Amino acid sequence: MSVTPLEALPLELLRQRASTKWRKYGDDVLPFFVAETDYPLAPAITRALQRAVELGDTGYTPPAPGIRETFVGFAQRRFGWTVDPSHVFWTGDVMMGVVEILRRIIEPGDRVIVMPPVYPPFYDTVEEAGAVVERVSLQRTDAGWQIDLDGVEAALEAGARAILLCNPHNPTGTVHSRESLAALADLADRFGVPVVSDEIHGPLAHAPVVFTPFLTASDAARRVGYAVTSASKTFNLAGLKCAVMIGGSDRQANVLRRLPAEVEWRTGIFGGLAHVAACSPESDAWVDSLLAALAHNRALLSQLLAAHLPLATYVEPDAGYLAWVDVSAYGWGDNPAREILRRTKVAFHHGPLFGDEGKGFVRINFGCSPDMLAEAIERVGALARS
């Protein structure tokens, strides 16, 4: 059955938004840098928030907001993942959950493995938890990127005490295979270290790729693992604070259960209401329409780059709406986003912020209208020809 793709809102309406994407730069800049999308909210979310405003329902999030139950249902429907409800807890956002977990599973000064190029807050979060970043770069192949299991093993042998995983990976869009996740879990289990998996882009895997939640990869993954995720990337809810933390076993669930009460209190009531609406079956058709729109733009970006920036290297992401594009061949420096912004008024994300592996790269958010995406790449193509 065909699915009608979502249509992005008109540019003149988007420019009335107050969010970072539309306020960081002036109206003469086309923004593609931050992970906000340009689509209308899922109708169930709009209704829930409108009703809350009508009621003046802006107080504290209640102790049983429905976050646990709706996440369990969503995971079962979308991923075939049967989650023990007693293993599910919530907080304000994914990075907040990550840092609170890290604080309780490592000692100050411990080294935590991250896999660059990776979402810039990973570095800050490890440091906030009192730990030290241990970089084990993803391996770049002709087909994309993969976990360097030998590098992880060497880091664990040298004393690293935890692994912070990004699955699906940001910025590359890589959906790690079940086999690589199971192998990672085996290493963590052998060395007795925990794995914390950020899975915020999980609902956005592009068929035929199948997203494997880390905690489903193997028995070892459940013994060592935590997952932290949110509806915020899929449903564009970053300003409404709500994320879920899942323990792989009773032992990890007990760690989450003993987190300070304030960790749960940081969940915003609008975030909780939006999460419940997003994870309800009523919103499944909206997700399917979003995926159809993103699939179109993912392929369109390939065509646009081939036509206007033929020296760029781009592997279509397995998941999400973020493209990791190597434009180093054009000689725009280690951080080409700066030159592109200055000379074309197109704002891409800065590759080096993701690690040294990002030099010469830009990250492009294609969760927008096809016309806006085309105009941006045409502008940058004109720069390349100048």
Side-chain angles (χ1 to χ4, degrees):
M1 183 176 65
S2 62
V3 176
T4 302
L6 282 180
E7 290 189 13
L9 295 170
L11 185 59
E12 60 270 19
L13 191 60
L14 291 166
R15 290 205 182 278
Q16 297 176 39
R17 287 182 171 180
S19 63
T20 291
K21 182 173 184 178
W22 298 100
R23 287 293 178 266
K24 183 174 176 65
Y25 301 106
D27 286 352
D28 58 339
V29 171
L30 291 177
F32 297 85
F33 63 104
V34 72
E36 299 178 22
T37 55
D38 297 347
Y39 305 102
L41 287 176
I45 296 174
T46 299
R47 288 194 296 272
L49 296 178
Q50 285 177 335
R51 182 58 175 159
V53 171
E54 290 169 0
L55 293 171
D57 191 6
T58 54
Y60 292 110
T61 304
I67 292 170
R68 171 181 289 123
E69 295 80 4
T70 48
F71 173 76
V72 168
F74 184 87
Q76 185 68 61
R77 295 192 315 277
R78 305 300 300 193
F79 312 138
W81 178 17
T82 302
V83 179
D84 185 332
S86 70
H87 292 182
V88 180
F89 302 85
W90 50 94
T91 189
D93 59 45
V94 166
M95 289 295 100
M96 191 180 295
V98 168
V99 73
E100 294 297 342
I101 293 170
L102 285 177
R103 282 174 172 154
R104 281 148 187 88
I105 61 176
I106 60 171
E107 298 295 330
D110 280 351
R111 301 202 307 279
V112 176
I113 294 171
V114 301
M115 303 177 192
V118 74
Y119 183 50
F122 268 40
Y123 306 108
D124 297 334
T125 296
V126 170
E127 294 176 1
E128 185 181 348
V132 177
V133 171
E134 177 83 11
R135 290 170 169 83
V136 178
S137 302
L138 291 184
Q139 292 177 322
R140 188 176 179 182
T141 70
D142 291 341
W145 287 263
Q146 62 187 19
I147 296 171
D148 180 0
L149 293 168
D150 291 338
V152 170
E153 183 174 19
L156 293 173
E157 287 177 340
R161 297 305 304 150
I163 299 169
L164 182 52
L165 175 68
C166 197
N167 176 46
H169 193 83
N170 175 7
T172 67
T174 302
V175 171
H176 299 301
S177 69
R178 181 177 296 275
E179 293 75 19
S180 65
L181 293 174
L184 182 70
D186 286 342
L187 284 172
D189 197 32
R190 174 153 61 92
F191 284 91
V193 304
V195 177
V196 183
S197 183
D198 169 0
E199 302 190 343
I200 198 169
H201 295 276
L204 297 175
H206 299 294
V209 174
V210 175
F211 165 63
T212 300
F214 178 72
L215 300 180
T216 71
S218 66
D219 289 340
R222 286 180 283 278
R223 285 194 296 271
V224 301
Y226 300 83
V228 191
T229 189
S230 173
S232 64
K233 285 295 182 284
T234 300
F235 293 91
N236 202 41
L237 304 174
L240 304 181
K241 293 298 184 179
C242 182
V244 295
M245 304 172 289
I246 309 100
S249 69
D250 290 340
R251 182 167 63 86
Q252 283 90 346
N254 284 334
V255 171
L256 298 175
R257 194 172 289 113
R258 291 194 300 269
L259 291 173
E262 185 62 28
V263 175
E264 179 182 310
W265 275 95
R266 293 170 186 160
T267 308
I269 191 168
F270 278 15
L273 291 169
H275 165 97
V276 169
C279 291
S280 71
E282 186 178 1
S283 293
D284 284 351
W286 185 94
V287 177
D288 294 337
S289 293
L290 171 67
L291 287 168
L294 297 180
H296 176 271
N297 282 1
R298 183 179 66 149
L300 174 63
L301 182 56
S302 290
Q303 298 164 16
L304 290 168
L305 291 172
H308 300 284
L309 291 167
L311 301 182
T313 302
Y314 163 57
V315 177
E316 292 187 359
D318 297 329
Y321 47 83
L322 304 173
W324 188 235
V325 183
D326 183 350
V327 294
S328 57
Y330 290 99
W332 294 326
D334 288 346
N335 190 0
R338 288 179 178 170
E339 185 73 358
I340 290 169
L341 175 62
R342 185 178 71 85
R343 298 182 62 183
T344 71
K345 299 296 184 181
V346 173
F348 296 148
H349 208 339
H350 303 277
L353 291 181
F354 297 82
D356 287 345
E357 297 80 358
K359 291 178 179 179
F361 282 79
V362 294
R363 195 190 73 174
I364 303 173
N365 177 349
F366 57 82
C368 59
S369 73
D371 289 346
M372 183 171 149
L373 183 62
E375 180 176 348
I377 303 304
E378 288 167 6
R379 288 190 193 182
V380 181
L383 171 62
R385 294 188 297 274
S386 65

